[in-house]
Amino acid sequence: MATELKSLVHFPEHYALSRKVTTQYGRLANRNNQFFETIQTYEGGQINTLCVLAIGTGMGSFDKPVIDDLSLKFPKVHYVVVEPDIEDVQRFQDLVDSKHSQREWDNVVFEFHAKTIKEYLESGDKDENVTLFHIIHMVQVVYYFDEPVTTIATLFDMLEYGGMLLNVMVGGMYTIHGNRNATSELRPATTQLQTATSSYGQLFDKMGKHFTDPKMNFIGGDTMVEQLKNHLPTANLSVIKKPKACEISECFKPTSKDGNYILDFLTHVANFRTSAPRCVVDEVMSFLKDEGDLQRNGEVYFKTDDCHMIMYKH
């Protein structure tokens, strides 16, 4: 019987701290630069008001360089933020206020929605003048969509012609659903897991048999690419793989606060070392030890890649 482990999504403050610590200990900060580099590939042409839909933004740390760049390239920018965590939305708004006080982003109009993507799509609380977008982006958030492929297809329909949809996920071939009683478009892969082709995928294979949280699904980026090709055969879809690494040496020190935060972020379980059964903890730690890349200086790195899915509407 699966252990009822709850995803970090239930604990936004703990998630934010875990992510911050993990970023400090690894090369995950490169994600910001990689995300920004991909967004920069959008040319746009002669657009008076660029409309952007940003999903799962957190407090706006990934968005800041993007908005800096777009506000210089286009006369006006309408930036719609969809983020379910109210505190993160407030922090993003504080960032906007700070920028405006410095006379920056003056040509950017912001629209904030403290909602899940499902709530946003179903609500009528939208600017009636903005129905289509030139850029839609989401980074590491598809795992929280009830119906990932259908949701992305809906978002793709919301693009202007020539528009770009960017979806960033951890690479690999695997699909593991937290809600084992749910009827899902990806449901067949729950009972017969695909062979994991990345370190994260193999880690999630270890976690999947114990994970029952309906708010979290482990879906590999390569799996999502195949699903999107089948569901949206006419979409212009390209994929860029970008390597990343996280230093996990502290994870092998049971009393290390930083190590435990990193472990929580990797497994996506709050207080994993104490909340998960001992057999699960032992299995995961053994895997990390075997899979980790030991450096000459004694540091251990956990390596995988991010999958940048770029879809253009033509």
Side-chain angles (χ1 to χ4, degrees):
M1 182 177 179
T3 305
E4 294 187 4
L5 298 177
K6 280 195 172 184
S7 165
L8 279 176
V9 71
H10 296 280
F11 312 95
E13 291 185 3
H14 192 97
Y15 172 83
L17 186 54
S18 297
R19 183 185 183 283
K20 179 180 179 181
V21 172
T22 304
T23 301
Q24 292 172 343
Y25 270 83
R27 302 165 188 164
L28 293 182
N30 290 336
R31 270 186 176 175
N32 294 55
N33 295 330
Q34 292 171 347
F35 167 68
F36 174 55
E37 290 168 359
T38 303
I39 290 290
Q40 276 189 310
T41 63
Y42 178 76
E43 296 179 357
Q46 299 298 317
I47 297 175
N48 183 43
T49 301
L50 182 81
C51 297
V52 181
L53 175 60
I55 303 167
T57 60
M59 62 186 71
S61 57
F62 275 60
D63 300 71
K64 182 177 177 295
V66 172
I67 300 169
D68 285 339
D69 183 63
L70 296 179
S71 65
L72 296 175
K73 288 182 176 178
F74 298 92
K76 298 179 182 178
V77 178
H78 191 109
Y79 207 88
V80 180
V81 173
V82 177
E83 165 56 53
D85 186 80
I86 296 176
E87 293 185 2
D88 274 348
V89 170
Q90 183 58 58
R91 293 187 184 100
F92 202 148
Q93 290 175 321
D94 292 342
L95 172 63
V96 172
D97 291 341
S98 175
K99 283 288 191 175
H100 283 169
S101 69
Q102 300 171 45
R103 302 310 302 269
E104 297 181 56
W105 296 359
D106 285 345
N107 62 330
V108 184
V109 173
F110 288 89
E111 183 183 334
F112 289 94
H113 297 270
K115 295 179 171 69
T116 65
I117 187 59
K118 181 179 180 180
E119 291 168 342
Y120 170 76
L121 293 174
E122 292 177 350
S123 74
D125 183 23
K126 306 182 186 74
D127 190 324
E128 294 181 356
N129 297 317
V130 180
T131 57
L132 297 175
F133 297 89
H134 301 98
I135 298 176
I136 298 175
H137 67 74
M138 46 198 145
V139 180
Q140 309 296 349
V141 298
V142 171
Y143 320 111
Y144 310 113
F145 292 179
D146 290 341
E147 301 291 343
V149 179
T150 300
T151 302
I152 292 177
T154 299
L155 293 170
F156 184 76
D157 287 341
M158 294 167 62
L159 283 176
E160 292 273 11
Y161 282 101
M164 178 180 76
L165 185 152
L166 170 61
N167 173 33
V168 180
M169 300 174 66
V170 176
M173 292 290 290
Y174 51 89
T175 307
I176 304 169
H177 287 283
N179 187 353
R180 300 182 179 261
N181 296 317
T183 299
S184 169
E185 59 198 1
L186 297 177
R187 184 72 177 95
T190 308
T191 55
Q192 186 175 358
L193 296 179
Q194 296 160 311
T195 301
T197 56
S198 72
S199 296
Y200 264 103
Q202 294 175 56
L203 175 60
F204 294 157
D205 273 350
K206 305 291 182 187
M207 295 296 301
K209 56 191 174 186
H210 305 288
F211 220 96
T212 60
D213 191 337
K215 289 186 175 290
M216 178 68 185
N217 299 307
F218 294 121
I219 307 168
D222 296 276
T223 298
M224 182 56 64
V225 169
E226 294 304 312
Q227 295 284 342
L228 291 174
K229 285 180 178 178
N230 292 332
H231 202 82
L232 296 169
T234 61
N236 184 347
L237 171 62
S238 60
V239 180
I240 303 175
K241 292 291 188 70
K242 301 201 174 186
K244 66 178 182 182
C246 174
E247 203 231 312
I248 60 172
S249 309
E250 289 293 308
C251 293
F252 301 103
K253 303 173 184 178
T255 59
S256 170
K257 290 184 178 180
D258 286 355
N260 285 323
Y261 279 126
I262 295 169
L263 193 57
D264 290 356
F265 189 78
L266 290 178
T267 61
H268 232 286
V269 174
N271 303 308
F272 172 76
R273 199 186 293 272
T274 56
S275 63
R278 173 50 52 188
C279 61
V280 180
V281 175
D282 290 344
E283 183 179 13
V284 168
M285 297 309 299
S286 177
F287 170 76
L288 291 177
K289 183 178 180 180
D290 293 340
E291 189 69 17
D293 184 11
L294 178 63
Q295 305 292 306
R296 289 183 178 180
N297 61 3
E299 293 180 347
V300 181
Y301 279 86
F302 188 63
K303 297 181 178 181
T304 184
D305 57 59
D306 274 348
C307 187
H308 288 225
M309 285 158 261
I310 307 165
M311 303 172 69
Y312 286 96
K313 187 175 184 179
H314 296 304

